[in-house]
Amino acid sequence: MAPARFTTNLETTFMNAPFKTALLCSALAAPLAAQADDITIAFLAASSQNGFNQSIYAGIEEAAAKYDDVSVEIFDGAFSATTQFSQVEDLVAGGRFDGMIVTPNDTVGIATALEDAVAQGMSVAATLFPIGPELSNMEPQVEGLTTTIAADPSVGAREQAEAVAAYCADIDPCKVVVIVGQLIFPFDNLRNDTYEEVFAQHPNIQVVATGEGNYSPATSMVAMQDILQANPDIDAVLGSADQHLMGAEIALTDAGIDTAEIFTIGGGLNQIVVDGIRAGTYDATMAQFPHTMGAAALDALVSSLRGEDVPTWIDEYSLRDVPVIVDREWLEANPDFDAEWQG
């Protein structure tokens, strides 16, 4: 796969962190629905069973609780692009919601449905990824989109790959396993392309296999078991998500491989992996902040619906004072740090 100075209610969310965001603000007039006393917001989760998405929704709920007139509801996208597209269509047709927060499964395909939502006067916020064909472009690619709370996926992916490259510097060949979510997802393709671009600069690095973990420890375990049958001798595992790392660890342990003897890095800053880094089970993970991201999205939509201007992009990495890559050294220097999600 999550502040600076806003005005009014957004001030509360972001008062303790630096804000790196585009200066361009949405100038859309508040839709007619916002004139009602109550504000209703739908959260379209990529999957409501996914711990990261659950943490986004927890942030949304917590932020909504600050208001007397805001209610929220979650919808399960089931990691399906078609399901989520249909949900947008149904919510627009139903007319029950003033706005929606979307963690997209298909960042390109869902754009058409969200164009209709905006045209009907709904305020729309994207979390985790921007909506549109350019995943590195944080500015609105859907005209009228209220805001995007995300970071360019290639930034974190590059940092992950560079961490692997640093470990591999004196190993030749350095055999690396990569586990992504699903290569059918545009953002997973971008991440994988970024890994390949970085590793191509280091001739000693050999990617022996790329598996798909579908953001599930169980699926990742099976993928890693299959990989180890053909590649029992590896030096590093790069999981695009922490769930991939957790599943890979089970397979590695079952195969008699001590994860402390190889380099392991994940993504998402899951508390289980944070604890594992502290214990020496894992080496590092890419930081993300789903709870804070959800709260920022909710506050932005409420402000927009009340006729206030909000930034069109909130950089996820500005939400917390945490480095992009969290390792044992940083955690030892910050012993009280807790991650925002688990599972």
Side-chain angles (χ1 to χ4, degrees):
M1 284 70 173
R5 288 294 206 196
F6 281 19
T7 57
T8 65
N9 293 308
L10 290 180
E11 183 91 17
T12 304
T13 301
F14 304 123
M15 63 187 299
N16 293 320
F19 192 74
K20 307 170 188 174
T21 186
L23 296 178
L24 181 63
C25 291
S26 172
L28 292 178
L32 294 177
Q35 306 307 315
D37 291 336
D38 295 328
I39 293 175
T40 54
I41 304 294
F43 172 49
L44 278 65
S47 167
S48 64
Q49 308 306 308
N50 173 265
F52 192 94
N53 281 251
Q54 290 170 354
S55 182
I56 294 176
Y57 188 55
I60 291 170
E61 288 186 302
E62 182 177 289
K66 298 182 302 183
Y67 306 95
D68 294 330
D69 58 349
V70 176
S71 61
V72 296
E73 186 175 338
I74 188 172
F75 293 84
D76 182 10
F79 281 138
S80 166
T82 54
T83 295
Q84 200 169 55
F85 191 97
S86 295
Q87 286 172 342
V88 175
E89 291 184 319
D90 292 343
L91 292 177
V92 172
R96 189 161 62 91
F97 292 92
D98 303 294
M100 64 177 71
I101 298 168
V102 183
T103 302
N105 283 319
D106 181 354
T107 57
V108 178
I110 202 169
T112 303
L114 292 179
E115 287 173 356
D116 292 339
V118 171
Q120 293 300 314
M122 298 183 74
S123 289
V124 178
T127 53
L128 190 58
F129 302 113
I131 303 295
E134 299 178 39
L135 281 166
S136 295
N137 179 8
M138 299 296 110
E139 291 302 338
Q141 299 170 56
V142 173
E143 186 176 357
L145 189 88
T146 302
T147 192
T148 296
I149 299 89
D152 178 347
S154 69
V155 172
R158 186 171 301 279
E159 294 268 2
Q160 288 174 302
E162 291 290 3
V164 173
Y167 173 81
C168 288
D170 297 323
I171 304 173
D172 189 6
C174 190
K175 299 177 181 179
V176 177
V177 171
V178 173
I179 302 180
V180 297
Q182 292 186 39
L183 290 173
I184 194 174
F185 292 155
F187 42 83
D188 276 326
N189 259 308
L190 175 59
R191 286 169 172 159
N192 195 53
D193 288 347
T194 303
Y195 300 151
E196 292 179 351
E197 179 184 329
V198 172
F199 293 151
Q201 300 169 23
H202 303 274
N204 63 308
I205 294 179
Q206 179 184 353
V207 177
V208 296
T210 299
E212 294 182 308
N214 198 32
Y215 302 94
S216 160
T219 304
S220 301
M221 177 190 69
V222 173
M224 192 70 199
Q225 287 172 335
D226 292 342
I227 289 170
L228 287 173
Q229 288 181 3
N231 305 277
D233 180 23
I234 62 172
D235 300 292
V237 176
L238 192 169
S240 64
D242 284 343
Q243 299 98 317
H244 304 155
L245 202 57
M246 289 186 280
E249 180 207 352
I250 298 171
L252 289 164
T253 301
D254 288 347
I257 300 172
D258 184 356
T259 56
E261 298 300 318
I262 64 175
F263 185 79
T264 52
I265 183 169
L269 199 58
N270 182 296
Q271 186 63 47
I272 295 173
V273 170
V274 167
D275 293 340
I277 294 170
R278 286 188 168 119
T281 305
Y282 309 116
D283 289 286
T285 186
M286 178 186 69
Q288 290 190 285
F289 316 107
H291 189 280
T292 307
M293 187 190 307
L298 188 283
D299 282 335
L301 280 195
V302 170
S303 290
S304 173
L305 287 162
R306 289 178 173 170
E308 301 168 16
D309 286 344
V310 300
T312 55
W313 172 42
I314 302 170
D315 187 347
E316 182 187 359
Y317 291 132
S318 73
L319 296 175
R320 297 281 301 272
D321 186 16
V322 176
V324 176
I325 299 297
V326 170
D327 57 16
R328 191 172 185 178
E329 181 180 1
W330 187 86
L331 289 171
E332 287 176 347
N334 296 271
D336 296 329
F337 175 80
D338 287 322
E340 293 192 351
W341 67 292
Q342 180 170 307

